[in-house]
Every structure is written in structure tokens, then in C-alpha cells.
Amino acid sequence: MTAPTTATDVNQPSLEHAPPAGRRMSWPVLCLVIAGALALTSLVRLITGADGITNVSQMSTALQLAVPIGLAGLGGLWAERAGVVNIGLEGMMILGTWFGAWAGFQWGPWTGVLVGLIGGALGGLLHAIVTVTFNVNHIVSGVAINILALGATRYLAPLAFEGRSGGSAKQSPAVDSLGHFTVPGLSDGLSDLNDKGWFFVSDVAGLLGGLVTNVSWLTLIAVALVPATWWILWRTAFGLRLRSCGENPIAAESLGVNVYKYKYLAVIISGALAGLGGVFLSIVANPFYLEGQTSGRGYIGLAAMIFGNWMPGGLAIGAGLFGYTDSLNLRGGSANVHALLLLGALLLVIGAIWLAVRKKYVNAVITLVVGALVFAWYAGTNEVPNQVVSATPYVITLVVLALSAQRLRMPKADGMPYRKGQGK
């Protein structure tokens, strides 16, 4: 007779064998850290005069750029919590952009959202068949899906879009807007407060103003998916069983969990979320499909997930960080990035002091030297080259991952092959 599945039973094997995850930062401490970072940014704004780094339009653009990254990251989180590495997020986003625009310009934007989501889910289903059923290496399968999605959309685009009004071999006709909303009164009040230029208060107003000004309905859905994912995966029996497949599938199977089913569901949901991120690009960010418009956001979403330590909240912060740095390309890029050099130098000095307090003197000296070099770059120049501005999101991705690598704890069985009954 199969033993009943309980939260204690399923989690116990992973708790016994999992490496220590380290101390998690509590919400009050995290809020203090965010407030401190915002205060430091405000100080830099006052020193440099780069008001654009925290104004409402900058934050609104950052939110729009963070959404597809966050959706791709959520997709990666669902798959990897079930033990399947999903490098194919980029390809699933590409499928979402194409299918969303293809259906959107013919039958309306909300139909495009649904069809784009299904397109990404089909990519997830293919990845699940290859990795779960046939035990192909997850990285190889993901890379193959990225190549396949790019090739398939390049083949289909001329067939579907050429000859249509506004369409071409590389671009779809325009898709109608999903609509935007602005919170009346609150948006104008925060914008006026942001224009005052006060220390910290105006910067907080700019951040909040970006969240309530010209926000797409799909953005609202994407933001809601973050707490929904946390609740499903950490507060339901379904989520407990799914996570057990990523920690110890053999133990989960012994307790009656259908590991194959949960892995399939997780990877299909992963593809659907990545496809939704692609839909956002081809319907909200741009009202049309354009070849190459994902621009590696699937990979950055994967980096945001890793930065967030495979947790929805941390992932959202990582997506926001990468979206903000990406927004610098669009709004006063050179001046803003030059001002952020000073912010980077100050953060490195603070990091060096923290390392010294923890008696990591060698690391502290290296960090201090790097901070001094960054400050010298800031003091010796008035602007940064456009190439540096364009590369900033990718450089930030590498730096953040390098700095956060020591505290990461991935699901124990992530990427490991599994066969039904192998524990017998």
C-alpha cells in the first residue's frame, strides 16, 4: 500500500541530504538594504545632476523592460524546481513572439496572448519529451530548441506576413494594443513630487510613479504571477510534490509521487511563461513581431532566476535590476551610465569595508582597488562610449552572478537524469 504524501514526508529526504542554504535575509533587513541602495542612488543623483536615473519615465521604462525578463525567469524557476534545466527559454520566448503576433494581428491582441502562450508551451512540451522521457542532456536539448525556434520562425514569417499590409519577411503587421491604465491622481501627484528633486523622497516617488503610470494590463498579470508562483510552489500540496521532484525524485517516487507527470507539467508551464514573455515583446513593448527582438532576454531571465536563488521574490528583484540597466539605453544612456559609475564606486567601497569587518582582507583590498579604478574612470571622463551603454545590462548580469555565486543553492537533483523505478 502506498504511503500517504505529506509535507513532512516529501521534504524529509531533501532536508537530510541538502547542503546548507545559508541564512536567508529577512524581509525587514531586505527592505533596509533596498532603502539604503535607493538613498545612495539619490545622493549620486544630487552630486552628478543626472535626474534621469530615478525619474518616473525611467522607472516606467525599466518596468516594461523587466517584465519579459521576469516572465522568462519564472519559467526557468518552474522547470528547475522540478529538476529540469531549461536553457531553451530563449527559444520558447521566440515562439511566443511569433505566435502571439501572428494570432494577434488577425484575431485581436488577447487572442494573440493566448496563442503565444500556447506556442511557448509547445516548446516546453518538446523539451520535456526530450529530457524527461528520453533523458537527453538538458543543456543540449535547450540549445537545440533555441536553434529550432529561430529557424522555424524565420521560415514561417515570410509565409505568414509577406503580402500583408505592414508585413514583411522579418516583421508582422501591427497588432492592436491591449490597453494601458494610469492611476488617476496618484500618478500626477507622484510625478510632481519626483520633479521637486528632493533627496530620497523624490526618488521613492519616481519609483512608485513608474508602477502606476501607463501600465499595460499584461504587466499587471505578469506582476501578479510572482506571488502566485510563490503561493503555488510553497503553500500547496501540488507545489510540494513538484519541488520534491527537483530535490530527490527517487524519494518522491517512493512516496507515491508521479515524478514524470510533475516534471512534464513544470516544463510545459515553464514554456508557457517564457512564451508569455515573448508575447509581451511583440504586443506590448512593440506592436508587431520583429526577427531577433528577444535579444537574449531568455538568457538574462535565467540569470535573474539564479541571482534570486531559485525564489520568486529574488527573481523579481533581479529582473528589476536588469530591466533598469537595460532602460539606460533608451533614456539619456550615456549621462546616466556615467553617473552610475560613481554609484558603483561607492558600492565597491562599502563592499570593501564589509569584507574588512569580516576579516577577509585580501578580498577587501581587491574590491577597494577596483572601486578606486571605477572612481578614477568617473572623475576622468564626462561621458561613457555608447558601446559601454549598450553592454551595461550584460556586464551587470555577469557581475551580479559573480558576486552572488557563493550564496546560491540550486535544487539538488536539478539537471540530473531520472528513470522511473531507478530507486528499487
Side-chain angles (χ1 to χ4, degrees):
M1 183 175 178
T2 303
T5 303
T6 66
T8 304
D9 291 334
V10 175
N11 263 349
Q12 191 63 35
S14 61
L15 291 175
E16 289 176 353
H17 301 287
R23 295 176 59 188
R24 285 184 181 175
M25 190 178 293
S26 63
W27 277 108
V29 174
L30 178 60
C31 291
L32 286 175
V33 170
I34 294 174
L38 192 57
L40 197 62
T41 304
S42 181
L43 179 63
V44 168
R45 175 181 62 81
L46 292 174
I47 293 173
T48 62
D51 293 334
I53 61 176
T54 58
N55 64 22
V56 171
S57 60
Q58 181 78 54
M59 295 302 178
S60 180
T61 302
L63 176 63
Q64 180 171 292
L65 292 171
V67 166
I69 295 173
L71 286 170
L74 276 180
L77 185 147
W78 272 86
E80 300 209 9
R81 278 294 175 179
V84 179
V85 176
N86 193 355
I87 297 294
L89 291 170
E90 178 76 5
M92 295 167 199
M93 285 190 79
I94 292 173
L95 292 174
T97 61
W98 191 90
F99 279 100
W102 171 72
F105 85 86
Q106 298 183 88
W107 302 301
W110 286 109
T111 303
V113 170
L114 178 62
V115 175
L117 189 148
I118 294 172
L122 289 175
L125 175 62
L126 177 60
H127 188 49
I129 292 171
V130 172
T131 57
V132 178
T133 301
F134 295 102
N135 261 337
V136 173
N137 181 277
H138 299 189
I139 305 299
V140 173
S141 173
V143 171
I145 287 174
N146 291 338
I147 297 171
L148 178 63
L150 183 60
T153 53
R154 281 183 175 176
Y155 173 77
L156 292 172
L159 299 177
F161 303 143
E162 275 191 333
R164 305 270 189 166
S165 177
S168 69
K170 296 186 177 181
Q171 180 178 316
S172 74
V175 181
D176 292 337
S177 172
L178 289 170
H180 295 76
F181 72 91
T182 296
V183 180
L186 181 60
S187 175
D188 292 336
L190 290 171
S191 181
D192 291 340
L193 190 57
N194 179 242
D195 292 337
K196 300 291 185 182
W198 295 336
F199 173 74
F200 190 72
V201 175
S202 292
D203 302 282
V204 172
L207 175 61
L208 297 177
L211 302 178
V212 297
T213 305
N214 291 328
V215 180
S216 166
W217 292 107
L218 193 54
T219 299
L220 189 63
I221 293 172
V223 172
L225 284 171
V226 175
T229 292
W230 174 83
W231 184 80
I232 292 170
L233 292 183
W234 275 270
R235 287 294 182 269
T236 67
F238 169 83
L240 176 62
R241 295 187 183 103
L242 186 147
R243 287 186 295 115
S244 72
C245 297
E247 294 291 345
N248 195 328
I250 297 174
E253 182 188 351
S254 71
L255 294 169
V257 176
N258 188 332
V259 176
Y260 276 16
K261 181 183 79 172
Y262 280 93
K263 284 180 178 287
Y264 261 86
L265 285 173
V267 181
I268 291 171
I269 292 171
S270 172
L273 288 169
L276 190 60
V279 168
F280 189 93
L281 292 174
S282 62
I283 294 182
V284 178
N286 296 298
F288 49 80
Y289 162 81
L290 186 65
E291 185 179 302
Q293 69 189 137
T294 55
S295 300
R297 286 181 176 86
Y299 300 112
I300 297 179
L302 196 63
M305 178 205 68
I306 296 171
F307 165 78
N309 207 10
W310 289 264
M311 294 292 291
L315 182 156
I317 294 173
L321 173 63
F322 299 140
Y324 175 75
T325 55
D326 200 12
S327 70
L328 298 175
N329 287 323
L330 303 179
R331 297 187 176 275
S334 181
N336 290 340
V337 172
H338 184 259
L340 291 181
L341 289 176
L342 178 59
L343 176 61
L346 292 174
L347 288 173
L348 286 167
V349 171
I350 293 171
I353 295 172
W354 172 250
L355 290 170
V357 169
R358 299 180 64 187
K359 298 182 179 180
K360 297 182 179 180
Y361 299 116
V362 175
N363 292 342
V365 170
I366 294 173
T367 304
L368 186 61
V369 170
V370 174
L373 292 174
V374 172
F375 179 77
W377 185 5
Y378 165 77
T381 59
N382 293 320
E383 59 181 17
V384 295
N386 289 331
Q387 293 85 345
V388 174
V389 177
S390 300
T392 297
Y394 308 101
V395 173
I396 292 294
T397 301
L398 293 173
V399 170
V400 166
L401 288 179
L403 293 177
S404 62
Q406 293 182 351
R407 66 173 182 83
L408 299 179
R409 192 269 185 190
M410 66 190 298
K412 185 186 174 187
D414 195 15
M416 295 177 61
Y418 165 78
R419 285 290 186 190
K420 187 176 181 179
Q422 72 182 49
K424 294 180 180 178

